[in-house]
Amino acid sequence: MTESTHKIIISVDFGTIYTAVVRVDATNSSQLEIINNWPTARQVVGSQIPTEIAYSDNDRAKFSWGYNISPNDQKIKWFKLSLELEQDVVELPLGLTSTDVISDFLSAIYKHIMATLHRRVDKETMQKATVDFALTVPAIWSDAARKKTQDSAVREGMGKSLLPQIYSESECAAIYALKDLDDVKSLCINDRILICDAGCGTVDIIIYKILQINPLSIIECTAGIGDYCGSTFIDREAEKFFIRRMGLHYAVFSSVQRQQVIKNFEAAKVAFRNEPEQEDFYVNLPTIGNIEEAGVQSGNFHMTRAEMRGLFNAVTDRVLDLINVQVRNVTSVNLVALVGGFGDSEYLYQRVSMWASRAQIRVLQPREAATAIVRGAALKGLETIGLSKTHI
């Protein structure tokens, strides 16, 4: 890097349900900054932004995205999957295609990133800076899907100085998880690390072998496998449960009200740890008073710990099935790393740990597990461009 150039790397985890962005400067490669100053319509903003978009009724050029969507707008979700499936996965308005929707969303992300950089970096430095991008995709995606992702990013401005790098989500997660490990000395060359990338929509499982520790070098030793069993499927189980218990009382809710119920359920879902000390959970329901036969009092839907556990097990059982399939493909596994938004779940950690204890396999849940992929992508971006090596 010459003195006249300031290198900034932006990693983007363009997820099915949420998208995350990290900025790292080559001059301060140890400082990874999560971009989280997202535009919002009075919603609480987190470290990731919903991969959602909503269009004006009669003008496809006008749209809102992420946290900035009104609760009354018709949200479009899951459109990222069309990059791999080569078809529209949701019904789209105004004659739009999935390519149009992906372009609009990535364009909004790009413009927000660049506006943020211009606010945080002085004008003289930005004039000399090159901004390079790295995007992540599921390990199981085809080369064609990776190319479509790269082309979409280039089309929206993310390839002005260098083509955007496309990285495997699982490899980036492994890089970050191993770097975050407190007792690095416990790692050995040829150790096998199973990455459970449990997101909101999908769960992907892949096993890596350590070739070198410092600088870190890993290689796939199994083909990646995955399924649609992320944390949003717990929400779907919850909605089925509401319908069973409430019947017509739930059926009369509007789509906006149902979205609010699931949003309220999210607090109970995040809090669930299967602890005997917490036997009761409550979900607030809009416009409902008391329904004794459904366990609703003062608008609060009551759920027991066993009922919550049942909702989780319907999904975590599928995650464990995927892990078992992968483990049968190798002679041994030394470490399991849980990453992704669902990977941050205490209950998923408990279930995987219980499974792993039988084979004396260690389970790691790194700090900031929900953003492990995008953080690992930033570290790999530094290395790919030749500025540093990832040491752990």
Side-chain angles (χ1 to χ4, degrees):
M1 186 175 66
T2 66
E3 291 185 0
S4 62
T5 302
H6 184 88
K7 180 74 71 175
I8 298 172
I9 293 174
I10 301 292
S11 59
V12 181
D13 177 18
F14 175 33
T16 305
I17 308 296
Y18 284 96
T19 293
V21 178
V22 159
R23 162 202 166 190
V24 61
D25 288 21
T27 53
N28 187 13
S29 59
S30 63
Q31 187 67 40
L32 304 182
E33 178 195 358
I34 285 277
I35 291 181
N36 57 9
N37 59 325
W38 303 108
T40 178
R42 298 187 298 278
Q43 297 187 62
V44 176
V45 173
S47 58
Q48 304 176 84
I49 186 167
T51 308
E52 301 173 355
I53 195 167
Y55 289 86
S56 168
D57 288 340
N58 52 15
D59 188 349
R60 60 186 288 177
K62 293 182 180 179
F63 61 87
S64 51
W65 56 285
Y67 291 108
N68 212 23
I69 299 175
S70 164
N72 296 318
D73 289 341
Q74 188 65 44
K75 297 178 181 178
I76 301 173
K77 309 177 183 181
W78 295 79
F79 49 84
K80 169 199 168 178
L81 296 179
S82 65
L83 290 166
E84 169 68 7
L85 301 177
E86 298 186 358
Q87 62 184 28
D88 292 341
V89 295
V90 292
E91 187 175 343
L92 299 174
L94 304 171
L96 290 160
T97 66
S98 291
T99 299
D100 297 326
V101 174
I102 290 167
S103 292
D104 287 341
F105 185 80
L106 289 180
S107 173
I109 291 284
Y110 173 75
K111 289 174 183 175
H112 180 74
I113 289 169
M114 296 310 296
T116 299
L117 289 179
H118 281 282
R119 280 198 300 271
R120 297 188 182 171
V121 181
D122 65 85
K123 184 177 180 180
E124 182 179 350
T125 301
M126 279 303 294
Q127 286 176 339
K128 295 186 286 186
T130 59
V131 182
D132 294 321
F133 286 80
L135 285 83
T136 62
V137 297
I140 61 175
W141 271 23
S142 65
D143 289 342
R146 290 168 180 256
K147 181 66 166 59
K148 286 171 69 177
T149 303
Q150 186 181 57
D151 291 345
S152 296
V154 169
R155 198 160 46 243
E156 303 316 317
M158 297 185 189
K160 291 184 177 177
S161 62
L162 181 73
L163 273 178
Q165 303 297 299
I166 304 297
Y167 301 143
S168 158
E169 293 173 354
S170 299
E171 183 183 4
C172 293
I175 290 169
Y176 179 75
L178 294 176
K179 184 176 177 61
D180 190 62
L181 197 61
D182 288 329
D183 55 339
V184 175
K185 293 181 180 178
S186 66
L187 295 176
C188 298
I189 291 174
N190 294 324
D191 275 0
R192 291 182 176 89
I193 315 300
L194 184 147
I195 299 297
C196 175
D197 173 15
C200 295
T202 59
V203 174
D204 296 310
I205 311 287
I206 193 168
I207 299 175
Y208 291 93
K209 184 168 71 172
I210 297 178
L211 299 180
Q212 184 175 310
I213 294 176
N214 273 316
L216 178 65
S217 177
I218 58 177
I219 188 172
E220 292 180 17
C221 55
T222 62
I225 61 173
D227 196 5
Y228 296 105
C229 51
S231 61
T232 57
F233 290 88
I234 300 173
D235 300 344
R236 295 188 183 189
E237 293 297 321
E239 185 157 45
K240 293 176 193 175
F241 186 68
F242 296 144
I243 292 169
R244 285 197 303 271
R245 276 258 297 265
M246 294 178 61
L248 290 175
H249 295 289
Y250 192 83
V252 299
F253 283 167
S254 67
S255 61
V256 171
Q257 288 174 320
R258 290 188 182 204
Q259 288 175 19
Q260 187 60 50
V261 171
I262 296 302
K263 187 174 181 179
N264 295 344
F265 170 74
E266 183 76 17
K269 183 174 74 172
V270 171
F272 183 66
R273 286 165 170 74
N274 196 35
E275 295 173 340
E277 297 80 10
Q278 188 174 12
E279 285 288 345
D280 302 296
F281 297 84
Y282 296 92
V283 179
N284 183 258
L285 305 176
T287 72
I288 289 284
N290 296 333
I291 311 173
E292 290 187 13
E293 67 274 18
V296 179
Q297 278 196 324
S298 301
N300 291 308
F301 184 96
H302 174 251
M303 303 174 71
T304 66
R305 178 165 67 100
E307 289 167 339
M308 284 289 289
R309 190 169 59 240
L311 301 181
F312 270 78
N313 284 348
V315 180
T316 56
D317 283 350
R318 294 167 62 190
V319 177
L320 289 170
D321 286 344
L322 287 173
I323 291 174
N324 274 310
V325 168
Q326 279 291 42
V327 169
R328 287 197 291 268
N329 290 326
V330 294
T331 55
S332 65
V333 169
N334 305 90
L335 177 71
V336 172
L338 298 175
V339 299
F342 191 21
D344 213 13
S345 162
E346 176 63 24
Y347 185 64
L348 180 61
Y349 176 79
Q350 290 175 16
R351 292 215 62 195
V352 174
S353 295
M354 188 178 300
W355 166 86
S357 65
R358 303 183 192 117
Q360 297 183 314
I361 299 171
R362 183 177 175 188
V363 180
L364 170 68
Q365 193 176 49
R367 288 173 285 254
E368 311 292 349
T371 53
I373 291 169
V374 74
R375 292 173 186 272
L379 296 173
K380 184 171 173 62
L382 285 171
E383 181 177 339
T384 301
I385 296 170
L387 299 174
S388 67
K389 295 291 183 182
T390 300
H391 289 264
I392 59 175

